[in-house]
């Protein structure tokens, strides 16, 4: 217990989940294809009065490709809005959306500077589909 920290979100690459929690709040929401499903799951766990802990004695090496890909950008931006729709009331959803939209120009600038115009397309498509509430694996050619 000396090396446990309270957390608000756990990353999905390594989680230990009590079966009791799954019986109480259910499984991961499949509408969050690829990204944010663990964030949404943690939000439901906290709302159900569970606590999330991180053991600082354990180290997990998660292989991660640092190059941004079209599908990564698309699903990240889309799922942000699916998450807010599910977790927040209208007021906080609006605040969060405004906050996220404020950073869009920065991302667009970075993608232009790196000549990744495909990622600009993915970002705006993800935003559009997120606003439209599209969920699950996209039927778009991603």
């Amino acid at each position: 217990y000396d090396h446990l920290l309270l957390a608000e979100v756990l990353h999905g690459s390594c989680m230990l989940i009590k079966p009791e929690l799954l019986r109480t709040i259910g499984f991961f929401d499949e509408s969050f294809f690829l990204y944010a499903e663990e964030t949404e799951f943690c939000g439901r766990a906290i709302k159900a009065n569970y606590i999330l802990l991180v053991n600082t004695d354990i180290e997990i090496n998660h292989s991660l490709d640092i190059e941004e890909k079209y599908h990564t950008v698309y699903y990240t931006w889309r799922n942000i809005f699916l998450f807010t729709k599910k977790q927040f009331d209208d007021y906080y959803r609006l605040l969060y959306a405004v906050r996220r939209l404020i950073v869009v120009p920065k991302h667009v600038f970075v993608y232009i500077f790196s000549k990744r115009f495909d990622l600009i397309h993915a970002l705006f498509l993800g935003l559009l589909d997120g606003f439209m509430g599209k969920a699950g694996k996209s039927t778009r050619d991603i």
Side-chain angles (χ1 to χ4, degrees), residues 47-61:
K47 283 182 180 179
N49 294 319
Y50 284 86
I51 60 169
L52 308 177
L53 298 171
V54 173
N55 186 335
T56 60
D57 280 342
I58 297 172
E59 181 179 324
I60 303 296
N61 293 315

Side-chain angles (χ1 to χ4, degrees), residues 5-136:
L5 298 176
L6 285 174
E8 293 182 4
V9 154
L10 303 173
H11 294 283
S13 59
C14 181
M15 297 172 77
L16 296 174
I17 303 169
K18 288 184 175 185
E20 169 196 323
L21 176 62
L22 296 173
R23 284 190 292 276
T24 303
I25 69 168
F27 293 93
F28 289 90
D29 184 340
E30 292 181 19
S31 65
F32 291 91
F33 184 77
L34 284 183
Y35 300 102
E37 69 279 0
E38 74 270 43
T39 305
E40 188 277 332
F41 181 83
C42 291
R44 283 188 286 136
I46 289 172
K47 283 182 180 179
N49 294 319
Y50 284 86
I51 60 169
L52 308 177
L53 298 171
V54 173
N55 186 335
T56 60
D57 280 342
I58 297 172
E59 181 179 324
I60 303 296
N61 293 315
H62 180 57
S63 177
L64 182 65
D65 185 355
I66 60 170
E67 179 188 353
E68 284 191 281
K69 293 183 174 46
Y70 188 94
H71 74 276
T72 304
V73 172
Y74 169 81
Y75 283 115
T76 299
W77 283 89
R78 187 201 70 176
N79 290 354
I80 284 169
F81 288 96
L82 295 179
F83 172 77
T84 60
K85 185 176 184 180
K86 209 170 168 195
Q87 292 287 326
F88 302 143
D89 63 22
D90 289 340
Y91 176 73
Y92 285 106
R93 187 175 24 244
L94 177 64
L95 286 178
Y96 192 78
V98 168
R99 177 183 171 270
R100 292 302 298 175
L101 291 174
I102 288 171
V103 301
V104 166
K106 173 196 159 235
H107 289 274
V108 169
F109 177 76
V110 168
Y111 297 151
I112 289 171
F113 186 72
S114 61
K115 297 180 181 168
R116 292 296 309 271
F117 304 107
D118 59 321
L119 299 183
I120 297 169
H121 184 259
L123 186 153
F124 284 108
L125 213 57
L127 284 174
L128 174 65
D129 285 354
F131 281 125
M132 301 300 288
K134 293 188 178 182

